[in-house]
Amino acid sequence: MSKLAFDKVAARFPEAIAERYDDRTGGHWAVIVAPHVREVATFLKNDPELDYKLFLSADAVDRLYLAPNEPRFEVVYFLRSLSRRDEVRLKVRVPGDNPEMPSLTPVYQGANWWERFVWD
């Protein structure tokens, strides 16, 4: 189902999605370009057809073991639409030399703790 969400994001923000893929469990993923993550999250939350109002969690992956691999970090977000019973998975790749990206706390207040967790 999240294919619809990513199709709508790609149509609205064509420069925001760097990559899309399905994992081995059939889950849909979109790799979002870091400067666009907040506008994409806002769109996913506020579009009435999508309705991803629940921020489930965030996590980070340090890909140092794949050295020399850039971008070194990945931040992943899980959002849920209760009305559609659907989940989207967003991934943002962050360089090791400047590991910064926009906060989603202005969009999802529940992201606050998770972003602190990822920062640590």
Side-chain angles (χ1 to χ4, degrees), residues 21 29-32 37 55-63 73-79 87-94 101 104 111 114-115 117-118:
Y21 64 92
W29 287 82
V31 178
I32 305 298
V37 69
F55 183 94
L56 293 176
S57 67
D59 212 337
V61 178
D62 183 347
R63 300 170 356 133
F73 300 104
E74 293 178 337
V75 179
V76 294
Y77 298 101
F78 300 90
L79 309 175
E87 185 176 305
V88 291
R89 300 165 182 153
L90 307 177
K91 181 182 290 189
V92 180
R93 295 188 174 131
V94 184
M101 57 178 292
L104 291 190
W114 289 101
E115 289 178 347
F117 171 74
V118 166

Side-chain angles (χ1 to χ4, degrees), residues 95-113:
D97 62 342
N98 185 24
E100 296 181 8
M101 57 178 292
S103 169
L104 291 190
T105 301
V107 181
Y108 294 102
Q109 188 63 37
N112 187 308
W113 185 90

Side-chain angles (χ1 to χ4, degrees), residues 40-87:
V40 168
T42 301
F43 177 73
L44 290 169
K45 180 179 181 181
N46 294 333
D47 183 283
E49 186 180 8
L50 300 178
D51 197 36
Y52 290 96
K53 297 215 184 300
L54 181 60
F55 183 94
L56 293 176
S57 67
D59 212 337
V61 178
D62 183 347
R63 300 170 356 133
L64 180 62
Y65 64 91
L66 298 173
N69 197 17
E70 270 302 319
R72 177 176 169 181
F73 300 104
E74 293 178 337
V75 179
V76 294
Y77 298 101
F78 300 90
L79 309 175
R80 181 132 182 101
S81 170
L82 296 173
S83 63
R84 296 180 55 237
R85 297 182 181 178
D86 190 33
E87 185 176 305

Side-chain angles (χ1 to χ4, degrees), residues 3-56:
K3 181 181 178 321
L4 167 69
F6 295 148
D7 288 346
K8 288 189 79 164
V9 168
R12 177 81 183 265
F13 309 103
E15 68 289 343
I17 297 181
E19 179 185 347
R20 290 169 63 168
Y21 64 92
D22 295 339
D23 62 24
R24 64 179 173 225
T25 66
H28 302 291
W29 287 82
V31 178
I32 305 298
V33 179
H36 298 286
V37 69
R38 190 179 295 161
E39 69 186 348
V40 168
T42 301
F43 177 73
L44 290 169
K45 180 179 181 181
N46 294 333
D47 183 283
E49 186 180 8
L50 300 178
D51 197 36
Y52 290 96
K53 297 215 184 300
L54 181 60
F55 183 94
L56 293 176

